[in-house]
Amino acid sequence: MSDHQNSKDPGSIETVLTHHGRVPEDQFGFVNTPVYRGSTVLFRSLADIEAQQQRFLYGRAGNPTTESVESVITELEGAYRTRLVPSGLAAITIALLSCLKSGDDLLITDSAYEPGRKFADGFLERMGITARYYDPRIGSGLAELMQPNTRAVLAESPGSITFEVQDIPALAAAAHAGGARLIVDNSWASPLYHVPLSLGADIVVHAGTKMFVGHSDAFAGTISTTETAWADVERVRALLGFFTSGDEAFLVARGLRTLAIRMKEHQQRALEIARWLEGQPEVLRVLHPALPSHPDHALWQRDFTGSGSLFGLLLRPAPRAAIAAFVDHLQLFSMGYSWGGYESLCIPVDPRRARSAVPWNEEGNLFRLHIGLEGIDDLKADLAAALERYAAAR
Ligand SMILES: *Cc1c(COP(=O)(O)O)cnc(C)c1O
């Protein structure tokens, strides 16, 4: 949470990622901030415990390892402060609860990460908070959906299944005019390629589990806010008792050290494969905002400086057997939830299920690909064989 750790000029993003959030002089010269495990933090005197001025008071509120991550993300997101929380979903739920009370209204993009929708429909509704869904391409049209009691807007840009890019400045203007806060899930681009707070958002959340960790071996989320939104987020987090262990924080910090170079590689490979797929006969559409064929390409160009590892692949209509033929015999791509690791993933997805504001009417079968760090020609060969199997089973 704190900004104690770094007084030197952070410099470029790569330098922030490699030098921020670690103070070797505090660790006997060791390069990395180690795993701190601890509940009790000791006070030396009655005066000290009364003053509550120590850097750490109790382990649940953070330790040097969690702080090492928070300070890096704060710097990258241009935030006032950041909290590390146990998962990306926890980042979403805490951010929402920080804005909402009984009787309030919430607007959520129809492209939102599905467990976030479930939290709104299955939990917030029970607390007397209404959740309504908006077209991810609504832009300034959001103003027409705002009600006097709308207090939060949850955006995700691009959506991690359907990849619509959202007009964050327009959403922020509409939200603020109505007295609501704009929360943006920035997991896809990472703060390297998209900085929503600089575009008017109030709160940015990440599934740190994905690109930050980068190795599919830990869970984490982050919440970064403007100065105005901070107190509400921190109060809710503290009241709910959310805590992230030093062990998990260490893995996030470790992942962050190589985030810039990994993002660059993931971006380049994903783009090369996306472009190649666009030319394949079974392919109807590739849903990747950095491709000129993407309907939101201009918006992506305006607001992003790069792209992520994840995109959608829409194949010609075919029965279930063809979907199975495509995914069941992949050699390098594996099937599984999550993304962001060094290994490639491919999973069939069906946006029809969750949508309520704008139905998903595209023909064909949609797959979501995460392009990992394997050899690019090996990945292409794996997909080429899968496309042949798909065609044969169609
Ligand atoms: C995975 C994901 C989340 C949730 O992260 P967890 O750490 O799995 O809880 C949130 N948003 C997006 C876009 C995600 O892909």
Side-chain angles (χ1 to χ4, degrees), residues 132-146:
R132 294 178 296 135
Y133 293 87
Y134 68 86
D135 178 347
R137 299 202 162 99
I138 200 167
S140 54
L142 187 79
E144 285 151 43
L145 294 183
M146 294 290 293

Side-chain angles (χ1 to χ4, degrees), residues 140 142-143 146-148 150-151 153 169-182 202:
S140 54
L142 187 79
M146 294 290 293
Q147 293 176 357
T150 306
R151 288 290 164 267
V153 177
L171 296 180
H176 295 162
R181 282 186 182 150
L182 176 63
D202 304 277

